Amino acid sequence: MRAFVLLLLLGLVASSAVAVVLSRHHHRAGFIELSRLEKERDELNIEFGRLQIEQATWSEPNRIEQVAVTKLGMKFPEGAEVVVVQP
């Protein structure tokens, strides 16, 4: 009987040790995934900042006017070209 209890306790201790090892493995795997995702988040934040700067540069009124005049041949209408429509 004593040997059975001893074997039972030994089995429980071994099971507990395996559970601890598995738990630590899952924790480490989760931490590695978290670190990877945080790095990806940081890279995306940097890219977003760059895109915001680029958007601000391309949408400046002077830039839009320059493109409208040079590439599209647009100009402000002369006084005689303006027609006022009244309801």
Side-chain angles (χ1 to χ4, degrees):
M1 180 68 175
R2 191 169 193 201
F4 175 73
V5 171
L6 185 61
L7 285 175
L8 180 65
L9 289 175
L10 184 63
L12 291 175
V13 168
S15 298
S16 175
V18 169
V20 168
V21 169
L22 285 175
S23 174
R24 293 201 37 110
H25 171 71
H26 290 302
H27 178 268
R28 286 184 180 144
F31 182 76
I32 289 169
E33 180 70 10
L34 174 66
S35 298
R36 184 188 66 77
L37 291 172
E38 285 176 342
K39 181 180 177 185
E40 183 179 348
R41 179 204 59 200
D42 294 342
E43 290 171 356
L44 288 172
N45 280 336
I46 291 169
E47 179 67 18
F48 181 67
R50 286 184 192 143
L51 290 173
Q52 284 182 319
I53 292 171
E54 184 178 346
Q55 180 188 20
T57 301
W58 286 102
S59 65
E60 285 185 14
N62 294 337
R63 169 89 175 121
I64 294 172
E65 183 178 352
Q66 178 188 16
V67 170
V69 170
T70 58
K71 291 188 177 180
L72 301 175
M74 298 176 84
K75 64 178 181 75
F76 284 105
E78 300 294 327
E81 297 174 332
V82 176
V83 177
V84 178
V85 178
Q86 294 183 358

Coordinates of all heavy atoms in Angstrom, one line a residue:
M1 N 0.8 -1.2 0.0 CA 0.0 0.0 0.0 C 0.9 1.3 0.0 O 0.6 2.2 -0.7 CB -0.9 -0.1 1.2 CG -1.8 1.1 1.4 SD -3.0 1.1 0.0 CE -4.0 2.4 0.5
R2 N 1.9 1.2 0.8 CA 2.8 2.4 0.9 C 3.5 2.6 -0.5 O 3.7 3.8 -0.9 CB 3.8 2.1 2.0 CG 4.6 3.3 2.3 CD 5.4 3.1 3.6 NE 5.9 4.4 4.1 CZ 6.9 4.5 4.9 NH1 7.5 3.4 5.3 NH2 7.2 5.7 5.2
A3 N 3.9 1.6 -1.2 CA 4.5 1.7 -2.5 C 3.5 2.4 -3.5 O 3.9 3.2 -4.3 CB 5.0 0.4 -3.0
F4 N 2.3 2.0 -3.4 CA 1.2 2.5 -4.3 C 1.1 4.0 -4.0 O 1.0 4.8 -5.0 CB -0.1 1.8 -4.1 CG -1.2 2.4 -4.9 CD1 -1.3 2.2 -6.2 CD2 -2.2 3.2 -4.2 CE1 -2.3 2.8 -7.0 CE2 -3.2 3.8 -5.0 CZ -3.2 3.6 -6.4
V5 N 1.0 4.5 -2.8 CA 0.9 5.9 -2.5 C 2.1 6.6 -3.0 O 2.0 7.7 -3.5 CB 0.7 6.1 -1.0 CG1 0.8 7.6 -0.6 CG2 -0.7 5.5 -0.5
L6 N 3.3 6.0 -2.8 CA 4.5 6.7 -3.2 C 4.6 6.8 -4.7 O 4.9 7.9 -5.3 CB 5.7 5.8 -2.7 CG 7.1 6.4 -3.0 CD1 7.3 7.8 -2.3 CD2 8.2 5.5 -2.6
L7 N 4.1 5.8 -5.5 CA 4.1 5.9 -6.9 C 3.0 6.9 -7.4 O 3.2 7.6 -8.3 CB 3.8 4.5 -7.5 CG 4.9 3.5 -7.5 CD1 4.4 2.1 -8.0 CD2 6.0 4.0 -8.4
L8 N 1.9 6.9 -6.7 CA 0.9 7.9 -7.0 C 1.4 9.3 -6.8 O 1.2 10.2 -7.7 CB -0.4 7.7 -6.1 CG -1.5 8.7 -6.3 CD1 -2.1 8.5 -7.8 CD2 -2.6 8.5 -5.3
L9 N 2.1 9.6 -5.7 CA 2.6 10.9 -5.4 C 3.7 11.2 -6.5 O 3.8 12.4 -6.9 CB 3.2 11.0 -4.0 CG 2.2 11.0 -2.9 CD1 2.9 11.0 -1.5 CD2 1.3 12.2 -3.0
L10 N 4.5 10.3 -6.8 CA 5.6 10.5 -7.8 C 5.0 10.8 -9.2 O 5.4 11.7 -9.8 CB 6.5 9.2 -7.9 CG 7.7 9.3 -8.9 CD1 8.6 10.4 -8.4 CD2 8.4 8.0 -9.0
G11 N 3.9 10.1 -9.5 CA 3.2 10.4 -10.7 C 2.6 11.8 -10.7 O 2.6 12.6 -11.7
L12 N 2.0 12.2 -9.6 CA 1.4 13.6 -9.5 C 2.5 14.6 -9.6 O 2.3 15.7 -10.2 CB 0.7 13.7 -8.2 CG -0.6 12.9 -8.1 CD1 -1.2 13.0 -6.7 CD2 -1.6 13.4 -9.1
V13 N 3.6 14.4 -8.9 CA 4.8 15.4 -9.0 C 5.2 15.5 -10.5 O 5.5 16.6 -11.0 CB 5.9 15.0 -8.1 CG1 7.2 15.8 -8.3 CG2 5.5 15.2 -6.6
A14 N 5.4 14.3 -11.2 CA 5.8 14.4 -12.6 C 4.8 15.1 -13.4 O 5.2 15.9 -14.3 CB 6.0 13.0 -13.1
S15 N 3.5 14.8 -13.2 CA 2.5 15.5 -13.9 C 2.5 17.0 -13.7 O 2.4 17.8 -14.6 CB 1.1 15.0 -13.6 OG 1.0 13.6 -13.9
S16 N 2.7 17.4 -12.4 CA 2.8 18.8 -12.1 C 4.0 19.5 -12.8 O 3.9 20.6 -13.3 CB 2.9 19.0 -10.6 OG 3.1 20.3 -10.2
A17 N 5.1 18.8 -12.8 CA 6.3 19.3 -13.5 C 6.1 19.5 -15.0 O 6.5 20.5 -15.6 CB 7.5 18.4 -13.2
V18 N 5.4 18.5 -15.6 CA 5.1 18.6 -17.0 C 4.2 19.8 -17.3 O 4.3 20.6 -18.2 CB 4.6 17.3 -17.6 CG1 4.0 17.5 -19.0 CG2 5.6 16.2 -17.6
A19 N 3.2 20.0 -16.4 CA 2.3 21.1 -16.5 C 3.0 22.4 -16.4 O 2.7 23.4 -17.1 CB 1.2 21.0 -15.5
V20 N 3.9 22.5 -15.5 CA 4.7 23.8 -15.3 C 5.5 24.0 -16.6 O 5.6 25.2 -17.1 CB 5.6 23.7 -14.1 CG1 6.6 24.8 -14.1 CG2 4.8 23.7 -12.8
V21 N 6.2 23.0 -17.1 CA 7.0 23.2 -18.3 C 6.1 23.6 -19.5 O 6.4 24.6 -20.2 CB 7.7 21.9 -18.7 CG1 8.3 21.9 -20.1 CG2 8.8 21.6 -17.6
L22 N 4.9 23.0 -19.7 CA 4.0 23.4 -20.7 C 3.5 24.8 -20.6 O 3.4 25.6 -21.5 CB 2.8 22.4 -20.8 CG 3.1 21.0 -21.4 CD1 1.9 20.1 -21.3 CD2 3.5 21.2 -22.9
S23 N 3.2 25.1 -19.3 CA 2.7 26.5 -19.0 C 3.8 27.5 -19.4 O 3.5 28.6 -20.0 CB 2.3 26.6 -17.5 OG 2.0 27.9 -17.2
R24 N 5.0 27.3 -19.0 CA 6.1 28.2 -19.3 C 6.3 28.3 -20.8 O 6.6 29.4 -21.4 CB 7.4 27.8 -18.6 CG 7.2 28.0 -17.1 CD 8.5 28.1 -16.3 NE 9.5 28.9 -16.9 CZ 10.0 30.1 -16.4 NH1 9.3 30.7 -15.5 NH2 11.0 30.6 -17.0
H25 N 6.2 27.2 -21.5 CA 6.4 27.2 -23.0 C 5.3 28.0 -23.6 O 5.6 28.8 -24.5 CB 6.3 25.7 -23.5 CG 6.2 25.7 -25.0 ND1 7.3 25.9 -25.8 CD2 5.2 25.4 -25.8 CE1 7.0 25.8 -27.0 NE2 5.7 25.5 -27.1
H26 N 4.0 27.9 -23.2 CA 3.0 28.7 -23.7 C 3.2 30.2 -23.4 O 2.9 31.0 -24.3 CB 1.6 28.2 -23.2 CG 1.2 26.9 -23.8 ND1 1.1 26.6 -25.1 CD2 0.8 25.7 -23.1 CE1 0.7 25.4 -25.3 NE2 0.5 24.8 -24.1
H27 N 3.6 30.4 -22.2 CA 3.9 31.8 -21.9 C 5.0 32.4 -22.7 O 4.9 33.5 -23.2 CB 4.3 31.9 -20.4 CG 4.7 33.3 -19.9 ND1 5.9 33.8 -20.0 CD2 3.9 34.3 -19.4 CE1 5.9 35.0 -19.5 NE2 4.7 35.3 -19.2
R28 N 6.1 31.7 -23.0 CA 7.1 32.2 -23.8 C 6.7 32.4 -25.2 O 7.0 33.4 -25.9 CB 8.3 31.2 -23.8 CG 9.1 31.3 -22.5 CD 10.3 30.5 -22.5 NE 11.0 30.6 -21.2 CZ 11.6 29.6 -20.6 NH1 11.7 28.4 -21.1 NH2 12.2 29.8 -19.4
A29 N 5.9 31.4 -25.8 CA 5.4 31.5 -27.1 C 4.5 32.8 -27.2 O 4.5 33.5 -28.2 CB 4.6 30.3 -27.5
G30 N 3.7 33.0 -26.2 CA 2.8 34.2 -26.2 C 3.6 35.5 -26.2 O 3.3 36.4 -26.8
F31 N 4.6 35.5 -25.4 CA 5.5 36.7 -25.2 C 6.2 36.9 -26.5 O 6.3 38.1 -27.0 CB 6.5 36.5 -24.1 CG 7.4 37.7 -23.9 CD1 6.9 38.8 -23.2 CD2 8.7 37.7 -24.4 CE1 7.7 39.9 -23.1 CE2 9.5 38.8 -24.2 CZ 9.0 39.9 -23.5
I32 N 6.7 35.9 -27.2 CA 7.3 36.1 -28.5 C 6.4 36.7 -29.5 O 6.7 37.6 -30.3 CB 7.9 34.8 -29.0 CG1 9.2 34.4 -28.1 CG2 8.3 34.8 -30.5 CD1 9.7 33.0 -28.3
E33 N 5.1 36.1 -29.5 CA 4.1 36.7 -30.5 C 3.8 38.1 -30.1 O 3.6 38.9 -31.0 CB 2.9 35.8 -30.4 CG 1.7 36.2 -31.3 CD 2.0 36.0 -32.7 OE1 3.0 35.3 -33.1 OE2 1.2 36.5 -33.5
L34 N 3.7 38.4 -28.8 CA 3.4 39.8 -28.4 C 4.5 40.7 -28.9 O 4.2 41.8 -29.4 CB 3.3 39.9 -26.9 CG 3.1 41.3 -26.3 CD1 1.8 41.9 -26.7 CD2 3.2 41.2 -24.8
S35 N 5.8 40.3 -28.7 CA 6.9 41.1 -29.1 C 6.9 41.4 -30.7 O 7.1 42.5 -31.1 CB 8.2 40.5 -28.8 OG 8.3 40.4 -27.4
R36 N 6.5 40.3 -31.4 CA 6.5 40.4 -32.9 C 5.3 41.4 -33.3 O 5.5 42.3 -34.1 CB 6.2 39.1 -33.5 CG 6.2 39.1 -35.0 CD 5.8 37.8 -35.6 NE 4.4 37.5 -35.3 CZ 3.4 38.0 -36.0 NH1 3.6 38.9 -36.9 NH2 2.1 37.7 -35.7
L37 N 4.2 41.3 -32.6 CA 3.1 42.2 -32.9 C 3.4 43.6 -32.5 O 2.9 44.6 -33.2 CB 1.8 41.7 -32.3 CG 1.2 40.4 -32.8 CD1 0.1 39.9 -32.0 CD2 0.8 40.5 -34.3
E38 N 4.0 43.8 -31.4 CA 4.4 45.2 -31.0 C 5.4 45.8 -32.0 O 5.3 47.0 -32.4 CB 5.0 45.2 -29.6 CG 4.0 45.0 -28.5 CD 4.6 44.9 -27.1 OE1 5.8 44.7 -27.0 OE2 3.9 45.1 -26.2
K39 N 6.3 45.0 -32.5 CA 7.3 45.5 -33.5 C 6.5 45.9 -34.8 O 6.8 46.9 -35.4 CB 8.3 44.5 -33.8 CG 9.4 44.9 -34.8 CD 10.4 43.8 -35.1 CE 11.4 44.3 -36.1 NZ 12.3 43.3 -36.5
E40 N 5.6 45.0 -35.2 CA 4.8 45.3 -36.4 C 3.9 46.6 -36.2 O 3.8 47.4 -37.1 CB 3.9 44.1 -36.7 CG 3.1 44.3 -38.0 CD 2.2 43.0 -38.3 OE1 2.4 42.0 -37.6 OE2 1.3 43.2 -39.1
R41 N 3.4 46.7 -35.0 CA 2.6 47.9 -34.7 C 3.5 49.2 -34.8 O 3.1 50.2 -35.4 CB 2.0 47.8 -33.3 CG 1.2 49.1 -32.9 CD 1.1 49.3 -31.4 NE 2.4 49.4 -30.8 CZ 2.7 49.2 -29.6 NH1 1.8 48.8 -28.7 NH2 3.9 49.3 -29.1
D42 N 4.7 49.1 -34.3 CA 5.6 50.3 -34.3 C 5.9 50.6 -35.8 O 6.0 51.8 -36.2 CB 6.8 50.0 -33.5 CG 6.5 49.9 -32.0 OD1 5.5 50.4 -31.6 OD2 7.4 49.3 -31.3
E43 N 6.2 49.6 -36.6 CA 6.5 49.8 -38.0 C 5.3 50.4 -38.7 O 5.5 51.3 -39.6 CB 7.0 48.5 -38.7 CG 8.3 48.0 -38.2 CD 8.6 46.6 -38.7 OE1 7.8 46.0 -39.4 OE2 9.7 46.1 -38.4
L44 N 4.1 49.9 -38.4 CA 2.9 50.5 -39.1 C 2.7 51.9 -38.6 O 2.3 52.8 -39.4 CB 1.7 49.6 -38.8 CG 1.7 48.3 -39.5 CD1 0.5 47.4 -38.9 CD2 1.6 48.4 -41.0
N45 N 3.0 52.3 -37.4 CA 2.8 53.6 -36.9 C 3.8 54.6 -37.6 O 3.5 55.7 -37.9 CB 3.0 53.7 -35.4 CG 1.8 53.3 -34.6 OD1 0.7 53.4 -35.1 ND2 2.0 52.9 -33.4
I46 N 5.0 54.1 -37.8 CA 6.0 54.9 -38.6 C 5.6 55.1 -40.0 O 5.6 56.2 -40.5 CB 7.4 54.2 -38.5 CG1 8.0 54.2 -37.1 CG2 8.4 54.8 -39.5 CD1 9.2 53.4 -36.9
E47 N 5.1 54.0 -40.6 CA 4.6 54.2 -42.0 C 3.4 55.1 -42.1 O 3.3 55.9 -43.0 CB 4.2 52.8 -42.6 CG 3.7 52.8 -44.0 CD 4.7 53.2 -45.0 OE1 5.9 53.1 -44.7 OE2 4.3 53.5 -46.1
F48 N 2.5 55.0 -41.1 CA 1.4 55.9 -41.1 C 1.8 57.4 -40.9 O 1.3 58.3 -41.6 CB 0.5 55.5 -39.9 CG -0.8 56.4 -39.8 CD1 -1.8 56.3 -40.8 CD2 -1.0 57.2 -38.7 CE1 -2.9 57.1 -40.7 CE2 -2.1 58.0 -38.6 CZ -3.1 58.0 -39.6
G49 N 2.8 57.7 -40.1 CA 3.3 59.0 -40.0 C 3.9 59.5 -41.3 O 3.7 60.7 -41.7
R50 N 4.7 58.6 -42.0 CA 5.2 59.0 -43.3 C 4.1 59.3 -44.3 O 4.2 60.3 -45.1 CB 6.1 57.9 -43.8 CG 7.4 57.7 -43.1 CD 8.2 56.6 -43.8 NE 9.4 56.3 -43.0 CZ 9.9 55.1 -42.8 NH1 9.3 54.1 -43.5 NH2 10.9 54.9 -42.1
L51 N 3.1 58.5 -44.3 CA 2.0 58.7 -45.2 C 1.2 60.0 -44.9 O 0.7 60.7 -45.8 CB 1.0 57.5 -45.2 CG 1.6 56.2 -45.8 CD1 0.6 55.1 -45.6 CD2 1.8 56.4 -47.3
Q52 N 1.1 60.3 -43.6 CA 0.4 61.6 -43.3 C 1.2 62.8 -43.8 O 0.7 63.8 -44.3 CB 0.2 61.7 -41.7 CG -0.9 60.9 -41.2 CD -1.1 61.0 -39.7 OE1 -0.1 61.1 -39.0 NE2 -2.3 61.1 -39.3
I53 N 2.6 62.7 -43.6 CA 3.4 63.8 -44.1 C 3.3 63.9 -45.6 O 3.2 65.0 -46.2 CB 4.9 63.6 -43.7 CG1 5.0 63.7 -42.2 CG2 5.8 64.5 -44.4 CD1 6.3 63.3 -41.6
E54 N 3.3 62.8 -46.3 CA 3.2 62.7 -47.8 C 1.8 63.3 -48.2 O 1.8 64.1 -49.1 CB 3.3 61.3 -48.3 CG 3.3 61.2 -49.8 CD 3.5 59.8 -50.3 OE1 3.9 59.0 -49.5 OE2 3.3 59.6 -51.5
Q55 N 0.8 63.0 -47.5 CA -0.5 63.5 -47.9 C -0.6 65.0 -47.6 O -1.1 65.7 -48.5 CB -1.6 62.8 -47.0 CG -3.0 63.4 -47.3 CD -4.1 62.8 -46.3 OE1 -3.7 62.4 -45.2 NE2 -5.3 62.9 -46.7
A56 N 0.0 65.5 -46.6 CA 0.0 66.9 -46.3 C 0.8 67.6 -47.4 O 0.4 68.7 -47.8 CB 0.6 67.2 -44.9
T57 N 1.9 67.0 -47.9 CA 2.7 67.6 -48.9 C 1.9 67.7 -50.2 O 1.9 68.7 -50.9 CB 4.0 66.8 -49.1 OG1 4.7 66.8 -47.9 CG2 4.9 67.5 -50.2
W58 N 1.3 66.6 -50.6 CA 0.6 66.6 -51.9 C -0.7 67.4 -51.9 O -1.2 67.8 -52.9 CB 0.3 65.1 -52.3 CG 1.5 64.4 -52.7 CD1 2.2 63.5 -52.0 CD2 2.1 64.5 -54.0 NE1 3.2 63.0 -52.7 CE2 3.2 63.6 -53.9 CE3 1.9 65.2 -55.1 CZ2 4.1 63.4 -55.0 CZ3 2.8 65.0 -56.2 CH2 3.9 64.2 -56.1
S59 N -1.3 67.6 -50.7 CA -2.5 68.4 -50.7 C -2.4 69.8 -50.4 O -3.4 70.5 -50.1 CB -3.5 67.7 -49.7 OG -3.0 67.8 -48.4
E60 N -1.2 70.4 -50.4 CA -1.0 71.8 -50.1 C -1.7 72.6 -51.3 O -1.6 72.2 -52.4 CB 0.4 72.2 -50.1 CG 1.1 71.7 -48.8 CD 2.6 72.2 -48.8 OE1 2.9 73.1 -49.6 OE2 3.3 71.7 -47.9
P61 N -2.4 73.7 -50.9 CA -3.1 74.4 -52.0 C -2.1 74.9 -53.1 O -2.5 74.9 -54.3 CB -3.7 75.6 -51.2 CG -3.8 75.1 -49.8 CD -2.7 74.2 -49.6
N62 N -0.9 75.3 -52.7 CA 0.0 75.8 -53.8 C 0.4 74.7 -54.7 O 0.5 74.9 -55.9 CB 1.3 76.4 -53.1 CG 1.0 77.6 -52.3 OD1 0.1 78.3 -52.6 ND2 1.9 77.9 -51.4
R63 N 0.5 73.5 -54.2 CA 0.9 72.3 -55.0 C -0.3 72.0 -56.0 O -0.1 71.7 -57.1 CB 1.2 71.1 -54.1 CG 1.3 69.8 -54.8 CD 2.7 69.6 -55.3 NE 2.8 68.2 -55.9 CZ 3.2 68.0 -57.1 NH1 3.5 69.0 -57.9 NH2 3.2 66.8 -57.6
I64 N -1.5 72.0 -55.4 CA -2.7 71.7 -56.3 C -2.8 72.7 -57.4 O -3.1 72.4 -58.5 CB -3.9 71.6 -55.4 CG1 -3.8 70.4 -54.4 CG2 -5.2 71.5 -56.2 CD1 -4.9 70.3 -53.4
E65 N -2.6 74.0 -57.0 CA -2.8 75.1 -58.0 C -1.7 74.9 -59.1 O -1.9 75.0 -60.3 CB -2.6 76.4 -57.4 CG -2.8 77.6 -58.3 CD -2.8 78.9 -57.6 OE1 -2.7 79.0 -56.4 OE2 -2.7 79.9 -58.3
Q66 N -0.5 74.6 -58.7 CA 0.6 74.4 -59.6 C 0.3 73.2 -60.6 O 0.5 73.4 -61.8 CB 1.9 74.1 -58.9 CG 3.1 73.9 -59.8 CD 4.3 73.4 -59.0 OE1 4.2 73.0 -57.8 NE2 5.5 73.4 -59.6
V67 N -0.2 72.1 -60.1 CA -0.5 71.0 -61.0 C -1.6 71.4 -61.9 O -1.6 71.0 -63.1 CB -0.8 69.8 -60.1 CG1 -1.4 68.6 -61.0 CG2 0.4 69.3 -59.4
A68 N -2.7 72.1 -61.4 CA -3.8 72.5 -62.2 C -3.4 73.4 -63.4 O -3.8 73.2 -64.5 CB -4.8 73.2 -61.3
V69 N -2.4 74.3 -63.1 CA -2.0 75.2 -64.1 C -1.0 74.5 -65.1 O -1.2 74.6 -66.3 CB -1.3 76.4 -63.5 CG1 -0.6 77.3 -64.6 CG2 -2.3 77.2 -62.7
T70 N 0.0 73.8 -64.6 CA 1.0 73.2 -65.5 C 0.5 72.0 -66.2 O 0.7 71.8 -67.4 CB 2.3 72.9 -64.7 OG1 1.9 72.0 -63.7 CG2 2.9 74.1 -64.2
K71 N -0.1 71.0 -65.6 CA -0.5 69.8 -66.2 C -1.8 69.8 -66.8 O -2.1 69.1 -67.8 CB -0.4 68.6 -65.2 CG 1.0 68.3 -64.7 CD 1.1 67.1 -63.9 CE 2.6 66.7 -63.6 NZ 2.7 65.5 -62.7
L72 N -2.8 70.5 -66.2 CA -4.1 70.5 -66.7 C -4.5 71.7 -67.5 O -5.6 71.7 -68.2 CB -5.1 70.3 -65.6 CG -4.9 69.0 -64.7 CD1 -5.9 69.1 -63.5 CD2 -5.1 67.8 -65.5
G73 N -3.7 72.7 -67.5 CA -3.9 73.9 -68.3 C -5.1 74.7 -67.8 O -5.7 75.5 -68.5
M74 N -5.4 74.6 -66.5 CA -6.5 75.3 -65.9 C -6.0 76.7 -65.6 O -4.9 77.0 -65.3 CB -7.0 74.6 -64.6 CG -7.5 73.2 -64.9 SD -8.0 72.4 -63.4 CE -9.6 73.0 -63.2
K75 N -7.0 77.7 -65.5 CA -6.7 79.0 -65.2 C -8.0 79.6 -64.6 O -9.1 79.1 -64.7 CB -6.3 79.9 -66.4 CG -7.3 80.0 -67.4 CD -6.8 80.8 -68.6 CE -7.8 81.0 -69.7 NZ -8.9 81.9 -69.3
F76 N -7.8 80.8 -63.9 CA -8.9 81.5 -63.3 C -9.7 82.1 -64.5 O -9.1 82.7 -65.4 CB -8.5 82.5 -62.3 CG -8.1 81.9 -61.0 CD1 -6.8 81.8 -60.6 CD2 -9.1 81.5 -60.1 CE1 -6.4 81.3 -59.4 CE2 -8.7 80.9 -58.9 CZ -7.4 80.8 -58.5
P77 N -11.0 82.1 -64.5 CA -11.8 82.7 -65.5 C -11.6 84.2 -65.5 O -11.5 84.9 -64.5 CB -13.2 82.3 -65.3 CG -13.3 81.9 -63.8 CD -11.9 81.5 -63.5
E78 N -11.6 84.8 -66.7 CA -11.6 86.3 -66.8 C -13.0 86.8 -66.5 O -14.0 86.1 -66.4 CB -11.3 86.7 -68.3 CG -9.9 86.1 -68.7 CD -8.7 86.8 -68.0 OE1 -8.8 87.9 -67.6 OE2 -7.7 86.0 -67.8
G79 N -13.1 88.1 -66.3 CA -14.3 88.7 -65.9 C -15.5 88.5 -66.9 O -16.6 88.2 -66.5
A80 N -15.2 88.4 -68.2 CA -16.2 88.2 -69.2 C -16.6 86.7 -69.2 O -17.7 86.4 -69.7 CB -15.7 88.6 -70.5
E81 N -15.8 85.8 -68.7 CA -16.1 84.4 -68.8 C -17.0 84.0 -67.6 O -17.5 82.8 -67.6 CB -14.8 83.6 -68.8 CG -13.9 83.8 -70.0 CD -12.6 83.2 -69.9 OE1 -12.1 82.9 -68.7 OE2 -12.0 82.8 -70.9
V82 N -17.2 84.9 -66.6 CA -18.0 84.5 -65.4 C -19.4 84.7 -65.7 O -19.8 85.8 -66.2 CB -17.5 85.3 -64.2 CG1 -18.4 85.0 -63.0 CG2 -16.1 85.0 -63.9
V83 N -20.3 83.7 -65.5 CA -21.7 83.9 -65.7 C -22.4 83.6 -64.3 O -22.1 82.6 -63.7 CB -22.2 82.8 -66.7 CG1 -23.7 82.9 -66.8 CG2 -21.5 83.0 -68.0
V84 N -23.2 84.5 -63.9 CA -23.9 84.4 -62.6 C -25.3 83.8 -62.9 O -26.1 84.4 -63.7 CB -24.0 85.7 -61.9 CG1 -24.8 85.5 -60.6 CG2 -22.6 86.3 -61.6
V85 N -25.7 82.7 -62.3 CA -27.0 82.1 -62.5 C -27.8 82.4 -61.3 O -27.4 82.1 -60.2 CB -26.8 80.6 -62.8 CG1 -28.2 79.9 -62.9 CG2 -25.9 80.3 -63.9
Q86 N -29.0 82.9 -61.6 CA -29.9 83.3 -60.5 C -31.1 82.4 -60.6 O -31.6 82.1 -61.7 CB -30.3 84.7 -60.5 CG -29.1 85.6 -60.2 CD -29.5 87.1 -60.2 OE1 -30.7 87.4 -60.4 NE2 -28.5 88.0 -59.9
P87 N -31.7 82.0 -59.5 CA -32.9 81.1 -59.5 C -34.1 81.8 -60.0 O -34.3 82.9 -60.0 CB -33.0 80.6 -58.1 CG -32.2 81.5 -57.2 CD -31.2 82.2 -58.1

